[in-house]
Amino acid sequence: MNSKADILLVGFGGSTPAPVLELVSQAVSKHGYQSIQPLRSQNFEYELLKAPYRTFLNTAAGKTTDTQLIIYNLPSSLTEYLSEASQKEASFIRSTLFAGSNASAGQVIAFDVNSNSFLGLDSSSSDIIDFIKTNPSLSGSLACATLAALSALDSKATEQLLPATTQSDTVVLIGSGGREHALAVALAQSPLVKEVIVCPGNGGTKAEGGKISNAVDSDGNPISKQDNDTVLELVKRVNAKMVVVGPEQPLVDGVVDVLAVECSSVKVFGPSKAGAELEASKAFTKDFLQQHGIPTAKYQNFTSADEAIAYVKSLDPNDRQVVKASGLAAGKGVLLPTTQEETIEAVKEIMSDKAFGAAGDTCVIESFMTGPEASCLAFCDGKTAVLMPAAQDHKRALDNDEGLNTGGMGAYAPAPCVTPEMHKEIEAMCIKTVEKMAERGTPYVGVLYAGMMLTPNGPSMLEYNCRFGDPETQVVLPLLETDLYEVMTACCDGKLDSIDVRFKENVSAATVVCAAKGYPESYPKGMAIQGLEQAGSVDNVKVYHAGTKLDDENVTRCSGGRVLAVTGMGSNLTEALAASYKAVKQITFEDSNGDSLMHYRTDIAKGAIRKKLRIGVLGSTRGTALLPVMEAIATGSLHAEIVAVVSNRSKALILEKGKSLGVTVTTQFVSSKGLTRDQYDAECTSVLVGAGVEYMLLVGYMRILSKQFCDYWAGRCINVHPSLLPKHAGGMDLEVHQAVIDAKETESGCTIHEVTEEVDGGPIVIQKVVKVDDSDTAESLKSKVQALEGVAFIEAIQKKCKTTVSYADAGVSIDAGNSLVEMIKPACKATRRPGCDADLGGFGGLFDLAAAGYKSEDTIIIGATDGVGTKLRVAHMTKKHESVGIDLVAMCVNDLIVAGGEPLFFLDYFATGKLDVNEAAAVVRGIAEGCSQAGCGLIGGETAEMPSMYAPGDYDLAGFSVGAVHKDKVLPQNVSAGDVLLGLPSSGVHSNGFSLVRKLVEKANLDYESACPWDKNAGTVGDSLLTPTKIYVKCCLPLLKKDMLTGLSHITGGGLLENLPRSLPSNVKAEITGHPPLPAVFSWMKQISGLDDYEMLRTFNNGVGMVLIVKSDVVDEAKTLLREAGEDVVYDLGVLTERQGDEEQVEMKCSLA
């Protein structure tokens, strides 16, 4: 713990007592101390920056002190003192004190948080350091006071070790979910707790062992209920000292009130029935919030459905509303309609149809709010509240926040969207709630869960819950450093302010919920859970159980929808997620057939990992260069957001630009009156840090910055200078431009550079150049350069957004990419054709037109690009990947042939979240096969591994094909009435319409492993649907070479009705007289969907994949060539006729059979 800092702050955790802040500030400003180092005192850096202290941790060069000042925070409780970190600190303090006269040892001053004073200092002197220096004997008194306090803690620790005096309490914990498992684990860590009895508990709490067990009755049988009578009997029988209530229902049922009467000496952590009204009645809560000025959405409460509907009709139809059942509805009583009609239906569902039973007797209708949500949990003691780190959870069942609402599929903390100042604002709301509840005569004790919406107008309360959240508890409690039992005891005793509630520094937690397949709708139970031991052995992982039970053979089985919450820890969120997902992949839920029935989301915290860069601005002038940055952010072309604009001039127009961004952007004038440069820069920094700024822009900022500011923001602050640095460094505005002209320079520009103590001397980030004309003046040159400054800022910010440590750190494997190239080279080589060698590994693919038989002067190059669409989902789910590569080629080359061109070469783009070499190789082999069928060379491609864009196991494809056609043979041409339409069969659904296809499979209660219902010989549903798209190149090329085709139409998305007109002139129409019977797959889809002929024809290919337009006199010859190319079936679809007026261009003269 040795340090060269002048001041050490030891063991303060998250607290920053005002007397300590004042002492440190004086040490710097009056006594020349240069550097401050917090040790387990994480909040001092921010609090010292703020007024009135205005102090950086590393201060300007000044007098170097001979000794350190060590300010030690005396542990406020025995359990805190007994922690490993606190014991190390106490040992360091003792050794320093016993060093005595050693000048390098430092002066120790101990602070007692309970008395809010320094031990051994009775003086009221406003300058403690000066007082110590003028009273030499005081140093010994301070040392004695500190040692005496540590000795007193040692005595308490000794008592705790003796059986006769040790505190060893029994805790009864009510509940059976993952939340309760997490609470049990945290409570059991306390040295003051003998046992934690969970009532009724789950398979995880039963298997946990140690201090944790599930409740049993007096005969030793498991207790399965948690009603008031059961809890009361258990508490009395086991002589519990505390009861902790997990779920909301026992609170609403009044278990706290019953225990207060029947077991008055037992501490109960949880609110009374009156306090739980905050969750039990949304109508009560909305009225409470409005009455006490706590921000929330505009609302109305209703007990009459007719009145509620009338209210909805009175609103602007464009104003979206949220409809809530006021009572408890198991987390499902909130409906999110999108239209006025849907809102009325939601009211009927809740109030008339009683979808949520008596919970919907009262209905709340409130305005829809936008913004990220945050779960903010606070410890409450009936008088005040202490907010825990904010968490964010994921309610939807499926990735990308799709699917039905659930109890929660994952969570993470701390949530980066809640800035330090926002945290204080939300904590103040919770404190106010506790205070106002006390004024009502219903003191609130326990956890207050504030569901917040971080709207463009600031944090707004969505709702209150009166208990720990699930799965938020599984990420917040692992961050808690203070003894949970001691915190809960302080809450029950109304002494929360006597406990220093600490959370771990620089640690993040993320949990992924493993659910039964089908949740939140019907889902199976009883599956054996495999891999728990392996998952639990992953470093920094804890597996919390929710819906589990142990059978008679001690096999852990699924007993609920949300089964497990797998929590990972790390020094940042990325590490925490990696640990969690690594453990999740060890787990399976298997039924008796060995089938996996587990589901989990793969994108937990994706938004937080990919969060926008938070930009702060310091400016003194108009801020013109900021406008392009604002526009780029508004259009989404810059993955950043401006969160603070600060100026040293009260009337600077740049402040108006900040205000125009909304009230959540901190826009502030900071006066420099009476402040040193260091102090002013510290106060500005406090404003920026409070807003969560990560990256700083200086935009026309007319102040010299202090060394401390430059050190604090090193590598995170940029400035624009109106010249091409290093030329004309140090100059400003017009003098720079005049200097350029005077030096007869031919070019100038602007430079974005990092800010350092050396003016205009920091590393150059971006330079933009303009030409200097002979006629330029300083003013005209300024206009030229200024026009580039905003663009330069944008490029610099984009460069910052793209900064990474290494590909490996970002989850990208370069070695895997290289392995893939080697694996697919043989397949690509097999596609060689005249004009290309189909070799891989270079920077680009080459093609020789002449070698392919084309002369450049009479050749037109054709390009086509396409993808495979949501058919990829079927490939993902069935783990069959080769056929989609053929699909990709087909979708491109079939479009090329329609223009009369011969496909020459193909390139692919494969993007994935995590590169699976074998999977990617299978796809590319399919692409190579498709190229072989089309006669084109696979000359290159791109494999992009992007963990932040795609979930693990997901990939997407894009294809790019280039072909050639002689200038006089481009199709369509000479299409006219009388031409004949021939059809070539499709191989199946091809690659369009799969969003609907997948819904039809789901509607029919099938999955992709089900036996195929439309073709018994096809194997499974997935096998049939993955039949690759047919490639029509080799059968059509002979007709093209003989000039027999006047047009072609590839039947893709939009079907025959949408695609055929693309090849027809406006004066003709197609009469379809001979459409073939529907293949079995389309008949099945028509039956399941209920679509009529028209909708089928504009959605699917219905068995016809390509339409050929030929003159009537070559029909027979065309059919012969097609049969010679392998097309055994050719359909006589119909003919082209004259079109009258606005007639549809495709007229069906027959029905789909």
Side-chain angles (χ1 to χ4, degrees):
M1 203 170 285
N2 292 329
S3 172
K4 295 182 180 180
D6 293 336
I7 303 173
L8 294 183
L9 295 162
V10 181
F12 283 89
S15 64
T16 53
V20 179
L21 290 167
E22 181 61 32
L23 173 59
V24 173
S25 179
Q26 285 182 355
V28 172
S29 62
K30 292 186 179 182
H31 299 281
Y33 287 69
Q34 295 181 42
S35 59
I36 308 156
Q37 182 176 352
L39 301 175
R40 243 176 27 104
S41 305
Q42 62 263 37
N43 286 349
F44 268 97
E45 181 174 44
Y46 174 50
E47 293 300 325
L48 279 169
L49 290 169
K50 297 161 70 174
Y53 312 111
R54 303 185 180 94
T55 303
F56 284 98
L57 292 187
N58 294 302
T59 60
K63 189 182 85 174
T64 302
T65 55
D66 293 329
T67 60
Q68 294 176 329
L69 176 64
I70 302 171
I71 308 174
Y72 172 55
N73 187 47
L74 192 72
S76 60
S77 67
L78 177 60
T79 56
E80 182 185 326
Y81 179 62
L82 292 175
S83 70
E84 182 180 355
S86 189
Q87 283 294 297
K88 288 181 180 179
E89 290 167 354
S91 178
F92 167 69
I93 295 299
R94 284 192 181 92
S95 63
T96 303
L97 292 171
F98 289 138
S101 60
N102 185 346
S104 64
Q107 173 68 61
V108 175
I109 304 178
F111 185 82
D112 179 17
V113 68
N114 291 320
S115 64
N116 199 39
S117 64
F118 296 101
L119 296 180
L121 272 178
D122 297 326
S123 169
S124 59
S125 171
S126 60
D127 190 334
I128 292 175
I129 294 176
D130 187 61
F131 183 68
I132 294 172
K133 287 180 178 179
T134 56
N135 293 273
S137 63
L138 186 59
S139 183
S141 299
L142 292 171
C144 289
T146 303
L147 286 171
L150 290 173
S151 296
L153 286 168
D154 285 335
S155 297
K156 289 183 179 180
T158 302
E159 292 177 3
Q160 181 63 23
L161 293 174
L162 297 173
T165 55
T166 185
Q167 181 178 349
S168 186
D169 296 346
T170 295
V171 179
V172 169
L173 171 60
I174 303 174
S176 61
R179 164 185 51 216
E180 285 72 39
H181 192 177
L183 283 165
V185 170
L187 286 165
Q189 292 170 355
S190 174
L192 307 180
V193 172
K194 177 179 68 175
E195 59 178 340
V196 181
I197 301 173
V198 191
C199 178
N202 58 41
T205 51
K206 182 177 180 180
E208 190 72 41
K211 297 180 180 180
I212 301 171
S213 63
N214 285 355
V216 295
D217 62 21
S218 56
D219 296 324
N221 298 313
I223 292 176
S224 59
K225 298 187 295 183
Q226 56 187 32
D227 60 277
N228 292 354
D229 291 340
T230 300
V231 171
L232 183 60
E233 187 278 331
L234 176 65
V235 170
K236 289 181 177 179
R237 176 162 48 84
V238 301
N239 194 26
K241 296 296 183 182
M242 179 182 287
V243 176
V244 178
V245 188
E248 67 275 13
Q249 194 60 55
L251 295 168
V252 174
D253 291 342
V255 69
V256 175
D257 306 75
V258 171
L259 290 168
V261 173
E262 299 292 335
C263 304
S264 58
S265 63
V266 176
K267 303 180 190 299
V268 185
F269 185 80
S272 64
K273 184 174 183 177
E277 189 78 358
L278 284 171
E279 179 169 1
S281 172
K282 294 179 178 65
F284 167 82
T285 299
K286 296 294 288 188
D287 289 342
F288 179 91
L289 294 170
Q290 185 180 64
Q291 179 183 355
H292 299 296
I294 298 173
T296 189
K298 177 186 174 183
Y299 75 101
Q300 288 287 338
N301 298 329
F302 297 95
T303 56
S304 163
D306 291 340
E307 292 178 5
I309 291 170
Y311 171 73
V312 172
K313 291 180 177 179
S314 72
L315 299 173
D316 185 331
N318 296 318
D319 289 342
R320 191 175 171 187
Q321 304 296 308
V322 179
V323 185
K324 300 179 177 181
S326 177
L328 295 179
K332 299 178 181 178
V334 177
L335 303 182
L336 303 173
T338 58
T339 65
Q340 191 175 72
E341 292 74 19
E342 289 179 4
T343 304
I344 292 171
E345 290 305 311
V347 171
K348 292 177 180 178
E349 182 178 347
I350 289 174
M351 302 195 74
S352 302
D353 301 340
K354 295 295 181 184
F356 307 107
D361 289 348
T362 298
C363 176
V364 180
I365 301 175
E366 66 179 33
S367 298
F368 182 83
M369 296 188 291
T370 59
E373 292 186 39
S375 302
C376 300
L377 282 64
F379 290 114
C380 306
D381 69 349
K383 301 174 184 177
T384 189
V386 174
L387 196 65
M388 305 177 214
Q392 285 190 293
D393 73 337
H394 296 258
K395 290 296 187 189
R396 297 284 185 171
L398 306 178
D399 284 0
N400 301 314
D401 289 329
E402 296 178 355
L404 298 173
N405 266 332
T406 70
M409 293 299 294
Y412 57 93
C417 60
V418 177
T419 64
E421 285 304 305
M422 198 178 291
H423 183 95
K424 290 187 174 183
E425 189 176 350
I426 295 168
E427 184 174 62
M429 294 182 196
C430 294
I431 292 172
K432 187 174 187 179
T433 299
V434 173
E435 290 173 344
K436 296 302 179 183
M437 289 293 285
E439 289 177 10
R440 295 178 73 251
T442 54
Y444 190 96
V445 175
V447 163
L448 184 65
Y449 173 157
M452 305 300 303
M453 179 73 81
L454 310 181
T455 76
N457 294 317
S460 187
M461 195 72 66
L462 283 169
E463 62 181 3
Y464 281 128
N465 293 319
C466 57
R467 36 69 189 183
F468 280 98
D470 189 341
E472 292 90 346
T473 305
Q474 292 91 306
V475 292
V476 173
L477 284 187
L479 301 179
L480 181 65
E481 191 172 272
T482 307
D483 186 300
L484 177 62
Y485 184 66
E486 200 158 36
V487 175
M488 289 180 167
T489 299
C491 288
C492 295
D493 293 342
K495 297 180 180 179
L496 184 57
D497 57 1
S498 69
I499 292 290
D500 183 12
V501 182
R502 301 176 180 221
F503 292 88
K504 296 170 184 174
E505 297 182 46
N506 303 317
V507 178
S508 293
T511 196
V512 177
V513 170
C514 299
K517 191 173 182 179
Y519 173 80
E521 297 184 300
S522 61
Y523 53 84
K525 296 181 181 180
M527 300 85 74
I529 303 175
Q530 307 290 338
L532 286 173
E533 184 176 348
Q534 294 90 328
S537 67
V538 176
D539 290 343
N540 302 314
V541 165
K542 176 65 181 177
V543 180
Y544 296 111
H545 291 232
T548 70
K549 64 178 181 180
L550 289 181
D551 65 14
D552 294 338
E553 298 178 353
N554 278 332
V555 174
T556 305
R557 295 189 177 276
C558 301
S559 63
R562 290 190 298 164
V563 180
L564 303 171
V566 182
T567 297
M569 305 277 285
S571 60
N572 54 52
L573 187 52
T574 301
E575 287 185 6
L577 282 166
S580 178
Y581 276 116
K582 182 178 180 180
V584 166
K585 290 179 180 179
Q586 308 300 314
I587 300 169
T588 59
F589 303 164
E590 293 186 355
D591 64 10
S592 57
N593 297 320
D595 293 331
S596 178
L597 297 177
M598 186 177 88
H599 165 69
Y600 63 93
R601 282 185 57 163
T602 64
D603 63 346
I604 300 302
K606 181 179 178 180
I609 295 294
R610 297 185 57 246
K611 68 183 180 68
K612 295 179 179 179
L613 182 68
R614 298 175 65 87
I615 292 174
V617 179
L618 279 177
S620 306
T621 56
R622 291 176 170 272
T624 304
L626 190 61
L627 287 174
V629 177
M630 293 166 62
E631 290 170 4
I633 290 172
T635 60
S637 59
L638 196 57
H639 194 65
E641 58 181 331
I642 297 170
V643 296
V645 179
V646 176
S647 179
N648 61 318
R649 296 178 180 175
S650 61
K651 296 183 180 179
L653 292 179
I654 197 169
L655 291 175
E656 296 304 314
K657 292 177 174 62
K659 292 175 182 176
S660 71
L661 295 172
V663 298
T664 55
V665 175
T666 300
T667 305
Q668 190 168 329
F669 157 65
V670 177
S671 173
S672 60
K673 186 176 181 180
L675 302 180
T676 66
R677 184 182 297 169
D678 299 351
Q679 291 172 333
Y680 181 78
D681 286 352
E683 185 167 347
C684 288
T685 296
S686 76
V687 175
L688 297 166
V689 172
V693 170
E694 299 168 316
Y695 200 57
M696 280 292 306
L697 310 184
L698 303 186
V699 183
Y701 191 54
M702 302 301 184
R703 280 184 61 90
I704 301 298
L705 294 165
S706 64
K707 177 183 185 301
Q708 301 90 291
F709 181 95
C710 295
D711 289 346
Y712 185 94
W713 293 101
R716 299 183 296 141
C717 181
I718 57 176
N719 180 45
V720 61
H721 187 269
S723 77
L724 298 176
L725 292 176
K727 293 181 180 179
H728 311 294
M732 297 181 69
D733 202 26
L734 288 174
E735 69 177 76
V736 174
H737 303 298
Q738 189 60 55
V740 170
I741 292 171
D742 293 343
K744 301 187 182 304
E745 294 173 9
T746 59
E747 63 180 21
S748 185
C750 65
T751 300
I752 302 292
H753 65 94
E754 292 183 8
V755 174
T756 62
E757 187 180 8
E758 180 186 354
V759 176
D760 298 332
I764 292 172
V765 180
I766 294 288
Q767 287 189 318
K768 307 296 285 186
V769 179
V770 296
K771 181 182 177 182
V772 181
D773 295 323
D774 293 340
S775 60
D776 270 327
T777 63
E779 288 79 6
S780 66
L781 184 55
K782 175 182 177 178
S783 296
K784 286 182 179 179
V785 172
Q786 205 169 50
L788 295 176
E789 290 178 354
V791 177
F793 265 131
I794 291 171
E795 291 185 16
I797 295 167
Q798 287 173 331
K799 192 173 181 180
K800 176 66 177 178
C801 291
K802 293 177 181 177
T803 299
T804 58
V805 178
S806 73
Y807 267 123
D809 294 334
V812 177
S813 172
I814 295 174
D815 291 339
N818 293 335
S819 298
L820 173 64
V821 171
E822 294 305 313
M823 190 177 291
I824 63 179
K825 274 185 177 180
C828 297
K829 277 283 188 184
T831 69
R832 284 182 293 187
R833 57 152 293 157
C836 75
D837 63 4
D839 205 355
L840 297 183
F843 289 99
L846 304 178
F847 192 93
D848 185 350
L849 273 176
Y854 291 90
K855 297 180 180 180
S856 59
E857 61 271 15
D858 61 5
T859 299
I860 290 177
I861 296 297
I862 311 169
T865 183
D866 211 331
V868 184
T870 58
K871 187 174 185 177
L872 284 179
R873 279 289 173 202
V874 183
H876 291 162
M877 298 178 75
T878 59
K879 301 188 183 306
K880 297 175 182 177
H881 305 285
E882 289 208 14
S883 63
V884 293
I886 300 174
D887 286 309
L888 185 67
V889 177
M891 296 305 291
C892 296
V893 298
N894 285 343
D895 284 351
L896 282 184
I897 201 77
V898 165
E902 176 189 7
L904 300 177
F905 61 86
F906 190 89
L907 302 104
D908 68 87
Y909 179 79
F910 180 98
T912 182
K914 180 67 176 176
L915 181 60
D916 182 323
V917 173
N918 292 323
E919 182 178 274
V923 172
V924 178
R925 282 195 296 268
I927 293 172
E929 171 60 25
C931 288
S932 294
Q933 292 181 26
C936 63
L938 178 54
I939 67 170
E942 171 71 8
T943 301
E945 189 174 16
M946 298 185 287
S948 62
M949 290 291 291
Y950 298 91
D954 279 359
Y955 64 82
D956 199 5
L957 297 175
F960 311 87
S961 186
V962 173
V965 60
H966 291 282
K967 289 181 179 179
D968 58 352
K969 295 185 177 182
V970 177
L971 297 184
Q973 61 175 271
N974 302 321
V975 176
S976 61
D979 287 357
V980 175
L981 302 175
L982 302 178
L984 297 181
S986 68
S987 57
V989 184
H990 284 183
S991 299
N992 296 102
F994 266 79
S995 294
L996 176 56
V997 171
R998 291 187 300 117
K999 284 193 175 295
L1000 296 180
V1001 171
E1002 182 181 348
K1003 182 179 179 182
N1005 293 318
L1006 299 173
D1007 61 36
Y1008 298 106
E1009 299 302 322
S1010 301
C1012 182
W1014 55 81
D1015 186 353
K1016 293 181 180 180
N1017 297 319
T1020 67
V1021 170
D1023 291 337
S1024 178
L1025 292 178
L1026 285 175
T1027 301
T1029 304
K1030 186 174 179 179
I1031 295 175
Y1032 297 95
V1033 173
K1034 289 187 176 179
C1035 66
C1036 290
L1037 274 177
L1039 281 73
L1040 286 170
K1041 292 185 182 299
K1042 291 199 170 189
D1043 300 328
M1044 298 177 66
L1045 298 175
T1046 60
L1048 286 161
S1049 180
H1050 183 200
I1051 309 305
T1052 59
L1056 186 70
L1057 300 186
E1058 301 285 347
N1059 286 287
L1060 185 52
R1062 296 164 64 183
S1063 298
L1064 303 180
S1066 60
N1067 64 336
V1068 301
K1069 71 174 184 178
E1071 290 185 355
I1072 307 300
T1073 57
H1075 196 288
L1078 284 178
V1081 62
F1082 296 107
S1083 294
W1084 181 86
M1085 287 193 288
K1086 191 172 190 291
Q1087 176 188 352
I1088 297 297
S1089 67
L1091 294 178
D1092 58 20
D1093 284 4
Y1094 175 77
E1095 287 298 329
M1096 288 291 292
L1097 284 163
R1098 67 193 296 266
T1099 305
F1100 300 112
N1101 66 61
N1102 297 295
V1104 178
M1106 182 70 76
V1107 176
L1108 288 65
I1109 307 173
V1110 300
K1111 295 299 181 183
S1112 59
D1113 58 347
V1114 296
V1115 169
D1116 291 336
E1117 185 181 358
K1119 288 182 178 180
T1120 298
L1121 288 174
L1122 288 169
R1123 291 190 180 100
E1124 289 175 355
E1127 293 296 328
D1128 295 328
V1129 178
V1130 180
Y1131 302 126
D1132 293 305
L1133 285 181
V1135 296
L1136 299 182
T1137 62
E1138 296 288 343
R1139 183 184 182 207
Q1140 305 298 320
D1142 294 326
E1143 282 184 300
E1144 294 292 338
Q1145 280 200 280
V1146 179
E1147 182 180 0
M1148 293 298 297
K1149 295 283 191 176
C1150 58
S1151 62
L1152 295 180

